[in-house]
Amino acid sequence: MTFRARLLLGFGAVVLVPLTVFGWRIRAVMTNRVTAEYQQRVAALVSVIRADLDRQSAGIALRLGALRDAIVQDNEFRRATVQGGDRSHLLDYAGDAMRLAGLALLQIQDETGRIVSSGHFRNEYDQSDPALPRLLAAAPAGTALVEARTAEAPFLALARVDSVRVRGRLFTLVGGMAVDSTFLARLTPDSELTVEVALPSDTSSAVDPATQVVSALDVPFVMAGDSARLLPARIVVSHSLASLAALRRGVALSFLVAVLVTGLIALLLASWLSTRISRPLTELAAKTADVDMDRLDVVFDSDRPDEIGALSRLLEAMTERLRAGAARLREAERRLAMGDLARQVNHDIKNGLIPMRNVFRHFAQAAGEGAHQLAAAFQDRQATVESSIAYLETLASNYARLYPQPARESCDVNAVVRETVKRVGETGQADLRLELGEALRPVRTDPLVLRRILENLIGNAVDSLAARAGNVTVSTGANGAAGVRITVADTGKGMTQAELNRAFDDFYTTKPGGTGLGLSIVRRLVLDANGTLRVETEPGAGSRFIVDLPGGGA
Amino acid sequence: MIPRHRCVIFAALLAAACRAGAPRAELPLPPPAPAPGDTTCTIAAGRAVARDTITFAVTDPVDPGHAPLPRNDAERLVFGQLYESLIRVDCQGRALPGLAATWEQAAGDRWAFTLRDNARFWDGAPVTARDVLASFRSHDATLAADFTVTGDRTFTVPASAAPFQRLADQALAVTKPAPGGSWPIGTGRYWMTSGDPASPDMLVAQPMARAGYPVVKVATVPASAARDALDGEAGVLVTDDPAALEYARTLAGYADLPLEWNRTYVLLAPGRDKPVVGDLRLESLREAVRGDARPAEWSGPGRSWFTDLEPCGVSAGRDTLGAAGRRRRIVYKQSDRSAADLAARLVGLGALGRGAVAAGVPATAFESALRAGSDAAYVVELRRRVYDVCRAALELPPWISAATVAPLLDVRSHAVVRRGLTRMTLDWDGTLRLSPP
C-alpha cells in the first residue's frame, strides 16, 4: 500500500470514525429520551383511564340508584311484576328507562335470574342468566366488563349491579355503559395513542413491543356461558413508535449526509496533503532511481527546512561521495582496462607479427639461397603476409572503435534510426520494425556515435534471435520535456541474471565469434552522450535496451 | 253522538262476520247476488254523514309501482278504491259483482262473463272484453291463453281446478298502462290525481262519479305521528301501532275496528328437515311484537297455503348451497318493526345457536337476499289469505321447494274510523272499500 493510500485511509478513519460514533450516540440518547417520554404518556393515560373507569362506575351506580327509586314508585311496574299486569309495559320498561337514564345496558332480573325486561335487547325476556348479577356483585369495586348480547351483535360494556325489592320480591338491575370504539377513542388524545380491550378469549396479541410502548390496566371480565366466571381482562394502552422511527430515520439520514460530506472534504484534504507530502518523496525516489542507473549527475538540491530537505541534503552528500567513488572506480577500471588492453594489444600484435616474422625469416633464408628462391618464397608466403597485415588492420580498426572522438552537434534521432535500421535490414536476417515518435526534439550528440550505439544494439538483438522466429522493434519517443528515449526490443533468447551482470564487461560475449566489446562500447558511448542505458530482459522472452538521451540539440 | 250500544252491536257483528268468514281452502261458488240488506261485511261507525272529503291516514308507504297488487295494509286500502277485479269476495267468502256484472256457466266447462254497463277506465274509455284480455296478458299468461272474447263486453274463461274466487285476486285487476308510467289506469270508483301541490306527501283520489262520493286524500304518516293524524282530520287510520290505538280508544269521535288477521310472519330457512325453531318456545313470540298479534294458526281445512305447495308443481328440491355456505343470521326487512322484533326474539331464544345475529336490510336488499337464499333464515311477512295459492307461490323465493317454513305469528291492523263516516265494506282478503252512498 502506498504512502498516499495509507495517508488517505488514516485521514478518513480519523474523521469518519468519531463522526459515526457521535451519530450513533446521538441516536441512542434521542431514542431513550423519546421512549421514556412515551412511557410517561402511556402511564399517565393509564391513570386517566383508571380514574375515568372509576368515574363511569360511579355514574352507573348513580343511575341505577335513581332507577331503583323510580321502580319502587312505579305502580305499573308493580302491577306487571307482582300482579301479572300489562306484560308489554314490563318488556318495554327497561328500554325506556335505559334511554332516559343514559345507559347503554340495562337488564332487570327477578330473584331466579330470569330476565323480566331488557333495555338493550328487548326480546331476550324470560331467558335465565343468574350468573351475571352474581359475578358483578363479586367483582372488585362492583364493576366489571361484560359482553352484552343484542339481536344484531354483542357489545362490550362496563357494568354494575343493583337491586330493588318490590312487594318482597327481589329484582336485580344490571346497568352499564358501552365500551366501544367511541368510548375508547374518547380516551386517546392523539392518533399515536391507542386504547384496546384485550379479553381473556383473545389469544392473539396485536401489540408489538418493538414498535409500541405498552402499558395495561387489569379489569375483571364476566365470562358468560355454561361455566360463567370472572376472568381478568386488560385495557391495553399503546403508543406507536412510528414517529420515533421516523425521527430516527431522519437523524440517520442527516448523519449519513454529514458523514458523506465530511468524508468528501476529508478525502480532498487528505489528497492535497498527501500530494504535498509525497511529491517531494516521489521526486527524491526518481532521482535516487537515476542514481541507481549511474546517473551520478543528479542534483539533490533543496532548501526546505523540514525532514525532506534534510533527506535531500543527505542524499546529495551521498551522491557526491558516489560521484567521487565512481570517478575513482572509473579511473581504476580505466587503468585496469588499459592494462588488459595493453596485454591484449601486446598479445594480438604478437599474434599478427609472429607469422610475419616467420615469413621474413623465411625470406631471409630464401634470399641467402638466391633470388629465385626468394621470389618463390615470396610467392609462397605472400598470402600469409597479407593475412597478417589484414589481421593487424582489423585489429587496429577494432581498437580504434574503443574510443572514438564524438562530435557535439544537433542530431535527428529518427533520421539516424531510420538510416541504421535500413542499412542493417538490408542483410535480411531478421524482421525489423520501426515505431518512431513524432515531433521529437533533436539531441545534441554525434550522429556517428548514435549510429554505433544503434548498430551494436540492433546487431545484438538480431543475433539474439539465433535463427528463431521473432522480430526486433526499434522505437523512439519523448522522454520528459526535452529528452528522447530509444528502445531496442527483441523477442530473442534474453539473458539470465548472471549474463546481465557481465553484459557490459569488456570482452564478455556469449556469441561465437563475438568480440565482447559491443555492449561495453555502447555503454561508454551512451554515458559520453550524457545519456542512460537500462536493460529489461527475461530469459526466453527477449530483452529491451532503453537509451535515454538528454535534449538540447536545438 | 252515536249511542254506545250501537257501537258495541257493530263490533259484535263485525267479529261474528269475521268468524263466520273463516277461510276455506276452496270456496264453493256462491250465488252472484248478495242477499239484500246483508250488512255482515259492512263497516260503519254511526250514521253516515255526507262529506266532501275523506282523509285516509296510513303508516305504511304507498308505492304506485306495486299497483294493483298491494304489498301492505296502506296499499290495500288505497288500491281497493282505485282498481277492480272481475268479481269481489266479501268477508264471508261470497262472490260479488266487480267489474263483471254477471257470470254464468257456459258450454265447454267455461264461465261466461258480462262486464258492467258503465264500466270505464279513468280516462273515460269504456272497458271492453279485449281490455280485460290485454290486462290478463300482462298479469296471467295462462289465463289469457284460454280467454275467449265473445262480444264487446262478454267473454268466457275456462273453469279450471283453481277456485272461482281467484278472479277476485287484486293481481288480476283490470288495468292499462298510464302514458306517464305512474299509476296504472284502473276502473275503480276513484282515480288517482297528480296530488295536491300544497301537500306533496298527500295523495288525492277523485271519484269517477261526482254525485255522492267524497274526495279521498291519503296521508302517509310515520307511526309516531299517527296520533297527530287522529287529532287532525283523518277519517280512517289504518295502523297496528299500539300507542296510536290506545290513544284512539280514548277519543270519543273514533271507533277502533280490528281488521282481519290477514298477514302471517313466517321463518323461511333454506334447506329441509332443519328444525330451526323446533325446540323453541314460540308461544312467547306474541310478546315480542308491539302490534296486535297471535300465534300463527289456520282454522280452515288443511294447512296454511304456504306449507303445501305441491299442487302448484312445487316439489321438494335439494339444498345445493348447504348450511356451511350460509351466513348465520336471520334477515328481515329493516322497515318492518314486527319482523325486527321477531328476528330479535328468535336470536334471543337461540334459534340458530350461539353467535347468530339478526340483520335488518333495506327493502330492495331484502328482496335480493331472499331470492339468493344465502342466509340461514329470513323473517317474511306473507298474506294469510290468498285466492290463488299457486299465484301467491310465485311471490315466494325460488328455493322455497327446498326450504323449511315455520309459521310464527298472525298479525292484523286496526282501522280507526271516524264516527259518521261513509260506510265501507270488508272483503275476504281484508280490503276496505268505500260503499256507494
Side-chain angles (χ1 to χ4, degrees), chain A residues 225-243:
Chain A
D226 296 336
S227 57
R229 60 193 187 280
L230 276 177
L231 291 174
R234 300 197 317 155
I235 295 180
V236 181
V237 179
S238 57
H239 195 304
S240 170
L241 293 177
S243 61

Side-chain angles (χ1 to χ4, degrees), chain A residues 96-422:
Chain A
D96 296 338
M98 184 183 78
R99 283 184 285 277
L100 288 174
L103 294 171
L105 162 71
L106 181 61
Q107 193 180 81
I108 303 175
Q109 297 185 5
D110 63 12
E111 60 274 2
T112 66
R114 185 177 64 91
I115 300 170
V116 298
S117 187
S118 178
H120 58 280
F121 189 4
R122 178 186 185 273
N123 285 335
E124 68 171 347
Y125 55 83
D126 289 343
Q127 302 300 301
S128 183
D129 191 9
L132 178 60
R134 175 174 55 80
L135 293 173
L136 281 174
T143 306
L145 290 173
V146 300
E147 194 172 59
R149 289 204 317 154
T150 71
E152 291 77 21
F155 69 93
L156 201 62
L158 185 72
R160 291 185 63 91
V161 66
D162 203 341
S163 62
V164 61
R165 259 181 204 287
V166 177
R167 201 185 174 190
R169 290 186 61 186
L170 182 68
F171 293 91
T172 54
L173 311 177
V174 176
M177 306 292 290
V179 183
D180 52 11
S181 57
T182 307
F183 178 87
L184 298 176
R186 184 171 53 81
L187 299 173
T188 55
D190 59 52
S191 60
E192 291 200 322
L193 277 168
T194 306
V195 179
E196 294 175 319
V197 177
L199 298 179
S201 57
D202 294 341
T203 55
S204 61
S205 174
V207 176
D208 180 7
T211 58
Q212 292 174 314
V213 174
V214 182
S215 185
L217 172 68
D218 288 336
V219 181
F221 172 72
V222 175
M223 175 68 81
D226 296 336
S227 57
R229 60 193 187 280
L230 276 177
L231 291 174
R234 300 197 317 155
I235 295 180
V236 181
V237 179
S238 57
H239 195 304
S240 170
L241 293 177
S243 61
L244 176 60
L247 187 61
R248 292 177 62 175
R249 284 195 298 273
V251 170
L253 182 62
S254 300
F255 268 102
L256 180 63
V257 172
V259 165
L260 288 176
V261 171
T262 308
L264 183 61
I265 293 173
L267 188 66
L268 294 174
L269 191 60
S271 177
W272 173 77
L273 196 58
S274 64
T275 301
R276 286 207 41 144
I277 294 174
S278 64
R279 181 179 293 167
L281 294 177
T282 304
E283 291 175 354
L284 286 177
K287 290 180 178 180
T288 308
D290 288 343
V291 171
D292 185 50
M293 293 304 295
D294 293 339
R295 286 284 306 277
L296 299 180
D297 56 338
V298 173
V299 177
F300 293 89
D301 54 341
S302 174
D303 54 358
R304 295 171 62 117
D306 53 10
E307 293 84 349
I308 294 175
L311 178 61
S312 296
R313 287 187 288 276
L314 185 59
L315 288 173
E316 177 61 24
M318 290 173 60
T319 307
E320 187 60 36
R321 286 196 297 276
L322 277 176
R323 282 195 205 99
R328 287 194 297 274
L329 182 59
R330 273 202 302 274
E331 181 60 24
E333 285 181 343
R334 191 181 64 80
R335 290 183 179 180
L336 183 59
M338 286 299 293
D340 290 342
L341 184 59
R343 283 191 294 273
Q344 187 66 37
V345 169
N346 179 46
H347 175 74
D348 291 342
I349 290 176
K350 281 183 177 178
N351 286 344
L353 291 177
I354 287 173
M356 291 180 69
R357 187 179 62 188
N358 293 337
V359 170
F360 276 104
R361 286 179 179 170
H362 185 195
F363 284 170
Q365 184 181 354
E369 292 177 358
H372 177 72
Q373 286 299 326
L374 179 59
F378 182 79
Q379 187 70 31
D380 184 36
R381 303 298 292 270
Q382 182 182 0
T384 300
V385 173
E386 288 176 352
S387 174
S388 296
I389 293 171
Y391 168 76
L392 291 173
E393 284 177 351
T394 302
L395 195 61
S397 297
N398 286 341
Y399 285 120
R401 283 201 295 268
L402 283 177
Y403 194 76
Q405 292 297 321
R408 294 288 182 179
E409 57 188 59
S410 182
C411 176
D412 183 354
V413 174
N414 281 347
V416 176
V417 170
R418 258 189 236 104
E419 178 188 345
T420 307
V421 169
K422 180 181 177 184

Side-chain angles (χ1 to χ4, degrees), chain A residues 87 91-92 121-127 149-153 224-225, chain B residues 281 284-285 287-290 332 341 344-345 347-349 354 357-358:
Chain A
R87 180 77 186 276
L91 296 183
D92 289 329
F121 189 4
R122 178 186 185 273
N123 285 335
E124 68 171 347
Y125 55 83
D126 289 343
Q127 302 300 301
R149 289 204 317 154
T150 71
E152 291 77 21
Chain B
R281 291 180 291 114
S284 68
L285 290 177
E287 293 162 335
V289 299
R290 273 88 165 177
Y332 58 91
D341 286 339
R345 181 58 181 165
V347 170
L349 291 172
R354 193 176 179 84
V357 298

